[in-house]
Every structure is written in structure tokens, then in C-alpha cells.
Amino acid sequence: MSSIPLYKAFIEVGASEESASKAAEDVIRVSQLEQLATKSDLKSEIANLETRLIKWMVGSLFVFAGIIIAGVGILFQIMLFPGVAQ
């Protein structure tokens, strides 16, 4: 896509050369994008992020539960066998 006709059109309507150049660069940048995100793309990305968050939360709960169980086990050992801990 050529930006020359767009650039000329902006100049003819009285836009400054700087704003015309910027607009032409924006058009070129957008035309070079392979694909624009659609609503369904965004929804699927959000669903993926939600799934990852839920998995992370469940994994964290298992880790914390393991730490708590290990701590309680150590406390029971100390309480049941006080001479061993010294």
C-alpha cells in the first residue's frame, strides 16, 4: 500500500506536513499487520488467562496445604517425643 496518495490528500485539505506524515505512517503500520485481534480472539485469550490463573491458584493451595501438613507433623513429633528434639 502506497502512502503517497494519502499524504497528498492530507496536504490538499490543509493538514500540516507533520500530521500527514504521521497519518501515512500509521496507515502503513496497520496495513502491515498480519491480523488484527477480533472480539473472539480477545475472549479466547481471556479464557486462557483465567484457566492459567485457576490452575496457579489450585497449585498454590496444594503447596500451602503440604506446608501446613508438614508443620503439623513436625509439631506432633515434638509434642510426642520431646527428648528427641533436644
Side-chain angles (χ1 to χ4, degrees):
M1 174 177 221
S2 176
S3 63
I4 294 173
L6 179 64
Y7 182 78
K8 286 181 180 179
F10 273 104
I11 296 299
E12 287 173 2
V13 296
S16 69
E17 287 188 33
E18 182 179 333
S19 63
S21 295
K22 187 170 173 78
E25 289 171 8
D26 290 342
V27 168
I28 291 170
R29 192 174 306 117
V30 169
S31 68
Q32 291 175 346
L33 291 176
E34 291 182 16
Q35 126 184 21
L36 295 174
T38 63
K39 281 187 179 182
S40 63
D41 293 336
L42 295 175
K43 285 181 182 179
S44 67
E45 184 64 28
I46 289 171
N48 288 339
L49 291 174
E50 288 174 348
T51 303
R52 288 176 53 199
L53 177 63
I54 291 170
K55 287 179 182 178
W56 184 87
M57 290 171 62
V58 170
S60 297
L61 287 174
F62 279 119
V63 168
F64 290 133
I67 291 170
I68 290 171
I69 290 170
V72 169
I74 291 170
L75 285 176
F76 274 132
Q77 284 185 350
I78 292 172
M79 288 172 58
L80 293 175
F81 306 107
V84 177
Q86 294 177 359

